[in-house]
Amino acid sequence: MNNIAVFASGNGSNFQAMIDRVQAGNLAANIALLVCDRPGAYCVERAKAAGVPDFAFNAKDYPSKAAFEQEICQQLLKEQVDWIVLAGYMRLIGPALLQEFAGRIINIHPSLLPQFPGKDAIGQALAAKVKWTGVTIHFVDEGMDTGPIIVQERVRIEEGETRESLQRKIQAIEHRLYPEILQMLLTRGEVKHDKKTSTY
Ligand code: GRF
C-alpha cells in the first residue's frame, strides 16, 4: 500500500476527508504523516485524533527554507512516503522536495486554473464577477499553482452568491474529488520510488 503525506497549514478539512475515506475502505493508502507549518493549526488536532503522526514545524526555527525542507525530507523518507498531497499548504515547494518526489506531488486549488492562482482564489473569482469557477487538482512544479492539470470540476456562481456559500460548494467537491483522484493515481501502479537512491 502507498504511504502518503498530507501537507496542510490550517483547518485540514481535505485531510479529514482523506482520513474518512481510508477508514471507510474507499482509499487504499496509508496516511503516514501530516506535515504542517503552523503548529497550532486545527489540522494537527485532526491528525492526533486520527492517530496520524505529525511533523509540525515553525519556519522561524530554521535558518532557511532549504533547512526546513531538508528536515521534512528526512521525515518523509523515515516514514517511507511515496506521495505528497498538498491540501491547503500555504508555501511553495522548494527544489529539494521537488527533486526527491518528482512526479509524486499533487495539489488542490479552489479555482479553474490558470485562472485565479495564489491566495484567496474564491475571493478573486467573486471580485472578477465570473459566472463559473471550480476546483483544480494538478501536479506540483516550482511555480505557484502552475503544474500539469489532472482534473477540473466546474461550479456555477449564482446571483447573490456569498463567499460562504461558494466556499461550501467548492469544498463539497474537493472532499469528494481529491480522495477519488488520489485513489486513481495510487492504483495506476506507477510508483517506482527506490528509497536506496534517495539523496538524503
Ligand atoms: C482548500 O480549499 C484547497 O483548495 C486550498 O486550501 C483549502 C484548504 O482547506 N488549497 P482545508 O484546510 O482542507 O479545509
Side-chain angles (χ1 to χ4, degrees):
M1 184 156 347
N2 282 288
N3 288 331
I4 66 171
V6 179
F7 285 34
S9 300
N11 179 19
S13 68
N14 279 282
F15 171 49
Q16 186 68 53
M18 287 173 223
I19 292 170
D20 295 345
R21 291 301 173 101
V22 168
Q23 285 175 354
N26 299 323
L27 175 56
N30 173 42
I31 307 181
L33 189 67
L34 171 75
V35 173
C36 176
D37 62 339
R38 289 189 197 151
Y42 188 54
C43 58
V44 178
E45 279 181 47
R46 293 185 192 268
K48 294 199 189 308
V52 173
D54 65 271
F55 174 59
F57 69 98
N58 195 331
K60 290 197 186 99
D61 296 339
Y62 295 83
S64 64
K65 177 170 177 147
F68 69 70
E69 284 214 340
Q70 180 155 343
E71 176 141 8
I72 292 173
C73 213
Q74 281 164 357
Q75 298 280 338
L76 296 175
L77 295 174
K78 190 178 90 191
E79 300 293 343
Q80 305 201 324
V81 165
D82 301 297
W83 285 81
I84 295 176
V85 179
L86 306 183
Y89 184 65
M90 302 302 284
R91 290 175 187 274
L92 283 180
I93 299 297
L97 285 175
L98 282 173
Q99 197 185 328
E100 183 68 43
F101 289 89
R104 291 176 292 118
I105 311 179
I106 58 173
N107 181 42
I108 191 162
H109 185 78
S111 78
L112 297 174
L113 291 171
Q115 270 193 316
F116 314 130
K119 282 189 185 153
D120 192 21
I122 292 176
Q124 290 185 55
L126 288 171
K129 300 192 187 309
V130 291
K131 290 240 178 324
W132 293 90
T133 186
V135 172
T136 302
I137 297 173
H138 64 97
F139 287 104
V140 171
D141 63 13
E142 63 287 346
M144 170 90 77
D145 303 319
T146 50
I149 289 172
I150 301 166
V151 70
Q152 294 188 302
E153 199 164 309
R154 296 200 308 168
V155 175
R156 189 169 164 82
I157 301 182
E158 306 291 350
E159 281 293 307
E161 188 89 49
T162 63
R163 174 184 289 267
E164 290 69 32
S165 64
L166 183 54
Q167 183 164 337
R168 248 194 322 274
K169 291 196 287 192
I170 283 185
Q171 289 234 308
I173 292 175
E174 290 186 342
H175 297 163
R176 170 181 48 77
L177 195 60
Y178 214 6
E180 257 175 40
I181 292 300
L182 198 49
Q183 171 72 5
M184 184 200 81
L185 289 171
L186 297 183
T187 51
R188 280 189 322 178
E190 284 184 11
V191 178
K192 295 193 185 78
H193 184 44
D194 178 4
K195 272 123 204 156
K196 291 190 197 92
T197 64
S198 295
T199 49
Y200 289 99

